[in-house]
Structures are given as structure tokens and as C-alpha cells.
Amino acid sequence: MRKEKISELTSTVVPLAIENIDTDQIIPARFLKATTREGFGENLFRDWRYNNDNTLKNDFILNDATYSGKILVAGKNFGCGSSREHAAWAIHDFGFQVVISSFFADIFKNNALNNALLPVQVSDDFLKKIFQVVENDHKCRVTVDLPQQTVTLADGTSESFEINAYKKSCMMNGYDDIDYLLSLREEIRHFELVH
Amino acid sequence: MTQRKTLFDKIWDAHIVKNSEGYPDALYIDRHFIHEVTSPQAFDGLRKRNINVFNTARTTATADHNVPTKDQHLPIKEALSRHQVETLRKNCSDFGVELYDLGHPYQGIVHIIGPELGLTLPGMTIVCGDSHTSTHGAFGNISFGIGTSEVEQVLATQCVLQYRPKTMLIEVNGELGKGVLAKDVILYIISKLSASGATGYFVEYAGQAIRNLSMEARMTICNMSIEMGARGGLIAPDQITFDYIKGRKFAPQGENFERLVEQWHQLRSDEGAHYDEVVKFDAADIAPMITYGTNPGMGIKITDRIPALNALKGESEQNSFSKSLEYMGLEPGSAILGKAIDYVFIGSCTNARIEDLRLVASMVKGKTKAANVEVWVVPGSKQVENQAREEGLDKIFEAAGFQLRQPGCSACLGMNEDKIPSGKYCISTSNRNFEGRQGPQSRTFLASPLSAAAAAITGKVTDVRELVY
């Protein structure tokens, strides 16, 4: 099945300078009860965004109108913990198309790639620089160029990032892993016979 | 000469259906476990594509994540949880998948029932939409957690597309001291390697201290591999493994079993095989452990002090550390021993097997819980619950003022009613101390079943060695 395609994106960013953001923070377990993929954005970072009485926490960045954009920038080891794909769905559903960090947890990275949410891994120094630039200019724009595999700041500073060629092609064309696997069904049946 | 291979590489290579240049490996999956939370969207995907489950015989379902641990014979009160469990029932019925539903004698936490039913075997590839699937690796197989899109891949094709991770060998040499359990070993390893130290790797655990462990203890070790970022962890099978499997419900029987044991003996890394990383620890340095922060890497020996702020390098790390301690209501540099607690949770896929319950019972027999604590013992499966009752452990728990509940994931992740209230401290045998994991604003100390039992008696963080030895 076709998914949304990603190629090049220029956007303001939302900085979240916290390390080890786990998927329980991204979407707490008690909000995993839906049986569809939609609507999880409502509870993205639920316990950081809302007080116990469901009022907004004004000091949390997603509640600060100064910051907006389609790119989330977060501290290292983003998405650690549970395998819940709901974390990727929630971030995407909220309106982000790219997450930049200096390190991603494995399962989160796979889940993001399977859901048109591009994980962009940059160096610690470059991440620090993005945080600094955003602090000085809340409306600064960052460009993520998937074909060229680069992240570029407004001042022209740029860094390249790695992405597997197959996954890159899937993201750019909106392909789905299952389409590929389904094309192997005969080979899989044969494997079962000899396995 | 053939290439010397690690056990991981041997099993991975034996399961590659297709390996094309530029593509991830299409890896055949021998056993797929599913549960109510991460499967509904995957079944929907099959419906949209109008395809069936590729191999129902290799698929097993149970309800565990959001189920109540009281009155399981009644309909689930909470509407969304009930809907999710009902959806699992419908999906399993529509697609012909075996389901161990609430009330079934085989129901329980997915990573506890697989091994106890003999569905988990050496040499296999096993996946589940749950990060603690690594538990099964204790039997010498490749087991890892996957996302829902991948659950759909496996349902549709019995394969998953994966890149081969790097390999890491973790040796724990020597013998463990008194009162030191497998849980302490893995909390110690994670505290040394950090919550991201094994990301990108698949771990093999080895060394005398690992070899000496029972299967249930080995499962505790492998279970928490993900907490240092590893996709999974495995332990080469041996006689302890084969003895555990023999005679289990769905395990191969008789001559078939004996023939397989012959093959399973070959499941070990070749002498001199290359690992991308090798880490060695001395079992004598491991003591009862406890976490003080909000990720499982933030652990210390229970008698140690919480690190001081200046022990952390870099502003970013210091900020994350301070934020974490503020959440926990703890001071940098302070002692954790003697800290009063409010709740004790004995359960989860990490520590809710019969040996765990026996250890707790042996500790509390003839004693009663401290007045200020509430204690929940949540068995990992219906079989564990029944076994505990047969052995009279329920009587010991009852006399101690502990509540013996019905099986499920429970307060490990607080998807059901079992939540630790805001601001309260819980010493927990589970696997994650993330903010809000056990309930909004709850505060978690991860520890072994013995340390949890000791704290239940004294009402505070206690060195079990002082209480017993």
C-alpha cells in the first residue's frame, strides 16, 4: 500500500533538549488502547504537555506558541524503551515529518521509517549547534534534503546523514515493506518446505 | 577452513529467505506471539489487502497488557481495554489464530507463557510486538521486539525485513554472592553500559555466572537486554535448557525431542568467533542493585550513594540527570538505603515466574508487610498462579498481607487499573523506571524480587543481605 512520500522539507523546528526520551514519554501506555492508527497525536508527550487536571503545562515547549514546525529536534537516545509503533504514529499524527537527534533507539527508528517519519541522525556537535541556533532565533528554518541526505541550517552550515538505500527509496516513493515481502511469497513457501 | 561464527550469526543465516544487495534480509520467523495492544492495526492491514495469516500454526495469541488482575471472570470494566481484548478475540477467530484468552489455563504474559508451554525452543527466530521479546533468547534463539507494521509483515508473510545487527559478547565470570540474583546481574550490566550502550547490537551472554543460572533466571537476564538498547540477548543452550524444555506441552516429545537435543548441542559460538564488541565483568563485584533515576541505566549497588552532579560530564547529561532526580524527589549524592516506600510490585515478564514467587515467599514466610506499604504479587501466567497455590505460596502471601492477583502485565506499565498513585514510591521487580511508567507521576525503584520482598517487610529500601544472612 502506498504511503506518504518524503523528499525535501524546510521548516521551523521544535527543540526538545532532553536525552533518553523513551516511548512511554512520547505516548504513555494508558493511551495505547485504540485499535486504529489515527488520533495518537492528541496524547503525544501527554504527561509533559498536560497537568493531572488536563490543563496545559505552559512551560512545556509544545505548548509554547513561539515554537512550531514539522521538525522535532531531540536529545540523544531518542525513542528508547517499548516497541510501541504508536510513538511514531503519535509524532507523525501531531504534524512532525522529521525527527533529528544524535542517536535513535533501534526499534523506534524502524517504526519511524515504516511510517513516513524520517529519523535524521546528526553528530553531537551538530545537534548542539541546532539547539543553539534555535535558542537565538525561534523561527530559524532547517532544511532536510532526503535525496542529498543533508541537513542545512539557515546560515548554510550543513551535515550529511546516513540512511539505508532501500529505506530511502521506500520513503521517497511511498513504498511499503509488505509489498516487497509479498512479492517473495513463493520463495517463502519454498523455504518453509526445506527449513 | 569454514568461517568461525557466533551463535547469533548461525541462527540468523539459517533463517534468511532472501538476501539481495541493497535490501534488508527477509528473515523467516519460526514463532510469532501476538497480544491485544500491538496487533489490531496489523490485522486491519491484512483485511485492507484482503490476505490471510500466512502460517497460523506459527502464531500464538494471548491477552496480557491491559487485562485486570482481579475478577478476570467478569467482563473487563474499562471500555477501551474491553474493546481491545474483544478485537483480539475477533481477529484470532476471523484469521484462525490460537488464542489463550482470559480464564484459559495457558493465559498469561506473552513472554512467560511461550517458554512454559514449550513454544519457545533453541535455534528459533521469535518475534512479538513487544520489546521484551528478548526474554525468549535465554533458550539460545534470536528473539526480538517489533513494531506493528512489522507484526503485519509477519502475519502476511511469516517473514520480517531486518538489517543484521552487530554482535556483542557479555561475559560474567566467577560466582555470584549471597542475595545476588539474575536481576541484580542485569541491572549491574545496564548501569555499566548505560541505557543506550548496546543499541545496534545483539548480545550473547556467557561466563560461569550465567551458566550457573536456572532457565528462569536466564530469562530475567535476556528480558532486560532491550534496556541497554540491544535488539535482543541470547544464551547458548545447555543441559539446563534441555531439562527445562523436556515434557512441556508443545515441546517436541520422545525420540523427536532426543533428536533435536542432538542438534541443539551444536548451537554455540565457534571458538574464536568474531564479536563486534566484547565486555567482561566479574561476578564478585555484583551486589544487590537498585535504580534511583528514570531510565534503567541509572542503577547503583543498594548500599551506594546516588552519584553527585559533578560525576556527570557535560551540560546536557547533567540537565537530564537533574531532571530525573527532581522527578524522583531524590538528592544527588544521597543514600538510597532506608528510603521509605509506599508500594511493592512483584510481577512482569522480568520477574513473575514461579521461582520468583518462591523466593519472595521464602523471604516473607512468617513475617508481615510493613503497615505503610501495599504489596501486589501478580503472577506471570495462569500456570504460575496455579502452581503457587498448589505449593501454598498463596497462604504465605495472605498471612504477610500481600495481595496475590491474577496474571497480566499489570503495574509494570499501568495499562490496566494497577497504577501507582502520583508521587508515590514503588519498589518494583519490573523492567522500566521511566517517568509515569507505573502511573502518572509514579516513582519507580527497580530491584530484584528478594530486595522487593525485603522492602515490603521493612517498608523501606533494604539490603536483603542484612535481613537474611
Side-chain angles (χ1 to χ4, degrees):
Chain A
M1 281 188 286
R2 285 302 177 110
K3 296 197 175 203
E4 184 188 319
K5 297 177 186 178
I6 295 186
S7 180
E8 193 185 326
L9 173 73
T10 298
S11 169
T12 50
V13 307
V14 178
L16 206 49
I18 303 169
E19 297 181 349
N20 297 312
I21 295 177
D22 58 78
T23 53
D24 276 82
Q25 305 320 310
I26 299 170
I27 180 94
R30 62 189 192 281
F31 298 109
L32 304 183
K33 298 184 184 184
T35 53
T36 60
R37 290 175 191 243
E38 294 77 32
F40 288 100
E42 206 178 304
N43 294 309
L44 175 69
F45 295 114
R46 177 76 201 192
D47 293 337
W48 288 353
R49 266 167 77 201
Y50 293 90
N51 293 305
N52 283 354
D53 60 2
N54 292 331
T55 54
L56 288 176
K57 287 186 179 177
N58 292 326
D59 59 348
F60 185 59
I61 203 145
L62 285 192
N63 297 332
D64 182 345
T66 321
Y67 297 96
S68 63
K70 293 179 175 175
I71 301 176
L72 179 66
V73 186
K76 74 175 176 195
N77 200 26
F78 185 81
C80 59
S82 150
S83 62
R84 62 190 68 163
E85 193 161 313
H86 313 65
W89 299 339
I91 295 170
H92 189 264
D93 191 57
F94 190 85
F96 292 111
Q97 292 180 5
V98 172
V99 185
I100 299 177
S101 177
S102 58
F103 198 78
F104 288 94
D106 278 338
I107 307 182
F108 176 81
K109 195 196 275 182
N110 280 353
N111 287 340
L113 289 166
N114 282 335
N115 286 282
L117 177 68
L118 180 65
V120 173
Q121 186 164 327
V122 297
S123 67
D124 284 326
D125 287 344
F126 197 75
L127 185 72
K128 208 168 162 183
K129 183 165 171 76
I130 301 177
F131 283 135
Q132 278 165 358
V133 168
V134 186
E135 199 175 320
N136 295 334
D137 173 11
H138 300 167
K139 292 294 168 200
C140 77
R141 293 163 84 80
V142 171
T143 299
V144 174
D145 184 333
L146 179 56
Q148 296 301 316
Q149 297 181 213
T150 55
V151 194
T152 310
L153 308 183
D155 67 359
T157 327
S158 186
E159 190 171 278
S160 61
F161 64 89
E162 295 291 317
I163 183 171
N164 172 270
Y166 164 77
K167 282 294 179 188
K168 178 176 170 178
S169 146
C170 284
M171 287 228 125
M172 289 181 59
N173 297 297
Y175 294 154
D176 183 321
D177 280 351
I178 299 184
D179 295 332
Y180 170 65
L181 281 173
L182 285 172
S183 75
L184 302 180
R185 271 162 77 109
E186 282 318 304
E187 283 170 79
I188 300 167
R189 286 197 199 289
H190 175 74
F191 181 90
E192 279 193 327
L193 291 175
V194 298
H195 176 52
Chain B
M1 201 178 96
T2 54
Q3 197 199 345
R4 287 174 289 198
K5 287 164 108 180
T6 64
L7 173 56
F8 173 84
D9 287 324
K10 289 181 188 181
I11 301 173
W12 184 280
D13 290 345
H15 288 83
I16 296 173
V17 174
K18 188 153 183 107
N19 168 313
S20 302
E21 184 68 29
Y23 284 81
D25 291 339
L27 199 68
Y28 189 78
I29 298 303
D30 293 315
R31 186 71 65 201
H32 186 197
F33 293 107
I34 60 176
H35 62 84
E36 74 276 23
V37 177
T38 58
S39 67
Q41 296 86 352
F43 280 111
D44 270 357
L46 297 189
R47 286 195 180 93
K48 281 182 191 147
R49 291 171 204 266
N50 197 25
I51 51 180
N52 290 319
V53 172
F54 190 84
N55 191 330
T56 52
R58 293 187 180 273
T59 316
T60 307
T62 194
D64 58 0
H65 275 64
N66 71 26
V67 303
T69 56
K70 281 184 192 168
D71 297 328
Q72 287 186 347
H73 61 290
L74 299 176
I76 299 174
K77 283 186 202 145
E78 211 267 317
L80 289 172
S81 296
R82 188 173 64 242
H83 176 66
Q84 218 168 29
V85 172
E86 282 168 356
T87 302
L88 179 70
R89 271 174 210 149
K90 178 169 172 26
N91 285 334
C92 289
S93 156
D94 287 359
F95 287 90
V97 171
E98 183 83 59
L99 167 66
Y100 301 131
D101 202 350
L102 283 181
H104 191 284
Y106 299 157
Q107 180 267 338
I109 303 175
V110 64
H111 311 308
I112 294 200
I113 67 166
E116 76 182 7
L117 289 170
L119 290 166
T120 298
L121 299 174
M124 281 183 160
T125 46
I126 301 179
V127 294
C128 174
D130 187 282
S131 60
H132 293 112
T133 307
S134 58
T135 313
H136 305 263
F139 291 79
N141 55 45
I142 294 181
S143 298
F144 54 92
I146 55 177
T148 298
S149 294
E150 294 166 319
V151 170
E152 188 180 337
Q153 291 176 28
V154 182
L155 288 174
T157 66
Q158 204 58 38
C159 285
V160 68
L161 275 185
Q162 291 287 308
Y163 291 101
R164 183 191 294 252
K166 292 180 282 188
T167 52
M168 180 186 288
L169 176 68
I170 297 181
E171 270 186 26
V172 186
N173 297 304
E175 291 194 9
L176 296 172
K178 279 186 178 170
V180 180
L181 303 184
K183 181 62 163 289
D184 300 307
V185 175
I186 191 64
L187 284 175
Y188 175 91
I189 293 172
I190 301 165
S191 77
K192 295 290 182 192
L193 297 183
S194 90
S196 58
T199 303
Y201 291 89
F202 209 98
V203 173
E204 179 175 347
Y205 300 95
Q208 197 55 42
I210 302 291
R211 282 277 144 247
N212 288 347
L213 296 173
S214 70
M215 279 319 295
E216 299 202 349
R218 291 179 190 184
M219 284 187 245
T220 301
I221 301 267
C222 291
N223 172 274
M224 289 188 73
S225 303
I226 182 72
E227 309 311 339
M228 49 187 169
R231 273 321 279 282
L234 54 73
I235 297 171
D238 56 17
Q239 198 56 46
I240 293 175
T241 319
F242 312 142
D243 290 345
Y244 177 97
I245 296 168
K246 192 171 186 176
R248 292 195 178 259
K249 177 75 184 171
F250 298 111
Q253 309 286 336
E255 272 179 33
N256 197 14
F257 176 77
E258 299 305 328
R259 187 177 51 78
L260 276 167
V261 168
E262 291 284 300
Q263 295 176 18
W264 292 341
H265 273 295
Q266 312 306 313
L267 290 172
R268 65 173 85 98
S269 294
D270 295 331
E271 191 84 28
H274 171 77
Y275 294 87
D276 297 295
E277 186 80 45
V278 176
V279 191
K280 295 183 183 187
F281 296 107
D282 179 2
D285 186 47
I286 306 177
M289 297 286 294
I290 192 160
T291 62
Y292 58 87
T294 54
N295 74 58
M298 300 175 82
I300 48 174
K301 291 176 186 170
I302 208 161
T303 48
D304 280 354
R305 287 179 171 270
I306 294 167
L309 192 59
N310 60 17
L312 280 295
K313 52 180 197 301
E315 192 188 333
S316 173
E317 285 192 16
Q318 287 189 354
N319 288 345
S320 298
F321 178 80
S322 298
K323 180 177 179 296
S324 180
L325 285 198
E326 191 183 323
Y327 179 86
M328 290 297 291
L330 298 171
E331 291 297 321
S334 66
I336 199 157
L337 214 53
K339 173 80 193 162
I341 48 129
D342 309 292
Y343 283 79
V344 175
F345 173 61
I346 292 159
S348 88
C349 54
T350 314
N351 281 123
R353 285 169 283 267
I354 190 66
E355 283 179 13
D356 299 312
L357 269 53
R358 284 180 191 142
L359 273 169
V360 171
S362 71
M363 175 87 211
V364 304
K365 191 172 186 178
K367 301 188 180 77
T368 51
K369 72 172 184 69
N372 59 315
V373 288
E374 187 159 330
V375 187
W376 302 335
V377 181
V378 182
S381 70
K382 208 70 198 164
Q383 291 204 64
V384 171
E385 181 191 347
N386 291 338
Q387 179 80 24
R389 290 183 193 285
E390 260 174 47
E391 295 180 15
L393 307 186
D394 55 330
K395 300 283 185 296
I396 296 171
F397 294 142
E398 198 184 326
F402 291 16
Q403 300 176 35
L404 178 62
R405 299 287 190 86
Q406 291 172 303
C409 299
S410 181
C412 173
L413 80 169
M415 272 197 83
N416 69 351
E417 301 79 355
D418 305 342
K419 293 181 176 64
I420 307 303
S422 175
K424 297 293 183 189
Y425 289 95
C426 177
I427 188 161
S428 177
T429 67
S430 56
N431 40 57
R432 288 188 176 136
N433 50 354
F434 297 150
E435 284 183 31
R437 170 81 177 180
Q438 297 196 284
Q441 281 79 49
S442 61
R443 292 156 161 173
T444 304
F445 295 130
L446 298 176
S448 80
L450 273 183
S451 295
I457 304 299
T458 62
K460 56 194 184 192
V461 175
T462 300
D463 184 349
V464 65
R465 296 168 300 186
E466 289 199 350
L467 210 61
V468 182
Y469 306 111

